[in-house]
Amino acid sequence: MGKLLNLLAMFGPLRAAKFWVALVMALVQFANIYMGLDLGLDQETATAIITGIGAALVWLVPNAKPKNEIPSYTEAGVRAATGYDGPIVDRSQH
């Protein structure tokens, strides 16, 4: 159980929500096929419906936002943070 909690913590709360939705739907499909759940439909129709619901749920769950964006620095901000007041050589390719 501890390893599962470590796995969940690695992804953070709902960090991999699409993965968890797909995993739950795969478990529902497994239960449907191997445990013989009777949904009142033939096996092919039940499989198609469960697969369609899973695909729709994965599509509806939003992607996780990135944790950190790439920081952008201004010359004044960098000079204030570092205390450097010498010349700056621009080596960017224009």
Side-chain angles (χ1 to χ4, degrees), residues 74-76 78-79 82 84-91:
T74 63
E75 181 180 338
V78 172
R79 286 184 184 273
T82 61
Y84 179 75
D85 62 355
I88 296 178
V89 177
D90 185 8
R91 295 188 177 132

Side-chain angles (χ1 to χ4, degrees), residues 21-74:
V21 168
L23 181 67
V24 167
M25 291 309 294
L27 292 174
V28 168
Q29 183 67 2
F30 179 81
N32 176 40
I33 292 173
Y34 292 103
M35 293 181 179
L37 296 178
D38 185 17
L39 301 176
L41 304 167
D42 63 295
Q43 190 61 43
E44 290 80 17
T45 305
T47 299
I49 290 173
I50 292 172
T51 303
I53 291 171
L57 288 175
V58 168
W59 179 74
L60 287 171
V61 172
N63 290 325
K65 302 281 187 233
K67 284 185 176 180
N68 298 323
E69 293 185 15
I70 298 173
S72 58
Y73 299 106
T74 63

